[in-house]
Amino acid sequence: MDSQLDISLILKKIEGLPKGLQNHIHRTRKIAKSLAERYQVDLTQVDYAMASHDLARNLSDNELLKLADDLKIPVSSIEVQSPVLLHGPVAAKWLEHEFNILNPDVLQAVWFHTTGTPDFHIIGKIVFISDKLDPAKKLRFPHFDVIEQAVFEDLNYAILNYLIDLISIQEGRQKTAHPLTYAFKKLLEKQYQI
């Protein structure tokens, strides 16, 4: 257990977010807690990361770009085109600077919860897929039910199936996924020899 992770401060910050975002965070915390129990991962760390993942999600593109500059977050052309990708890194930097959170697994989980990363610790994987399994997102993905069932049997396999769906949908819209998302998918494909 990580005694430094006092969730009450994060819960206060969540209260200031729009109601829909608050509801999303609370729904995904329940999913993440179940997955943490299933995979025997530190519940405190998972819950703290899950509660923190969308703290900056309500900010405008301009606010995210300005904060990224202020917080010295590297910004690629992909983030310039789609600044919403910066809400995880901004939230992770807030955890470091405002809450003095130095736990690398929690910070990584929050930073990369949108794109994923091949370097994910299991906490990051749980936060990543829990965010995607919010029932409010069910209609966006053709294999949501399959992923939802698989996640309790094989976390990596569920994530791989989500990534396959996501990339297929994005390519169908003539959009490209983030390079880290492709790298994460490639790593998992290698694991399953796909």
Side-chain angles (χ1 to χ4, degrees), residues 33-167:
K33 285 178 187 177
S34 296
L35 289 173
E37 288 171 359
R38 160 63 183 91
Y39 292 103
Q40 300 176 345
V41 179
D42 186 302
L43 190 57
T44 303
Q45 291 181 35
V46 169
D47 191 37
Y48 196 92
M50 198 76 243
S52 305
H53 82 283
D54 272 352
L55 290 177
R57 182 63 181 87
N58 64 315
L59 299 178
S60 72
D61 289 353
N62 288 337
E63 289 171 313
L64 287 167
L65 288 166
K66 182 177 181 337
L67 280 166
D69 186 49
D70 293 347
L71 296 168
K72 312 246 183 298
I73 296 169
V75 178
S76 72
S77 60
I78 293 170
E79 285 94 12
V80 170
Q81 290 175 341
S82 189
V84 70
L85 294 171
L86 293 167
H87 76 275
V90 167
K93 284 290 190 176
W94 283 349
L95 291 181
E96 262 186 286
H97 297 293
E98 291 181 30
F99 298 96
N100 198 32
I101 299 304
L102 304 175
N103 182 308
D105 299 329
V106 169
L107 295 174
Q108 182 202 52
V110 173
W111 187 293
F112 295 106
H113 81 269
T114 303
T115 60
T117 178
D119 302 326
F120 254 157
H121 182 274
I122 191 166
I123 291 171
K125 290 177 183 180
I126 289 172
V127 170
F128 177 82
I129 199 66
S130 296
D131 179 45
K132 311 321 184 238
L133 288 176
D134 180 346
K137 297 180 178 183
K138 193 170 197 151
L139 297 177
R140 295 187 207 170
F141 296 97
H143 301 104
F144 188 95
D145 292 333
V146 173
I147 297 164
E148 191 176 40
Q149 285 182 320
V151 77
F152 286 95
E153 294 165 29
D154 186 336
L155 182 63
N156 287 337
Y157 187 73
I159 292 170
L160 175 58
N161 278 279
Y162 166 78
L163 292 171
I164 289 168
D165 268 7
L166 173 70
I167 290 171

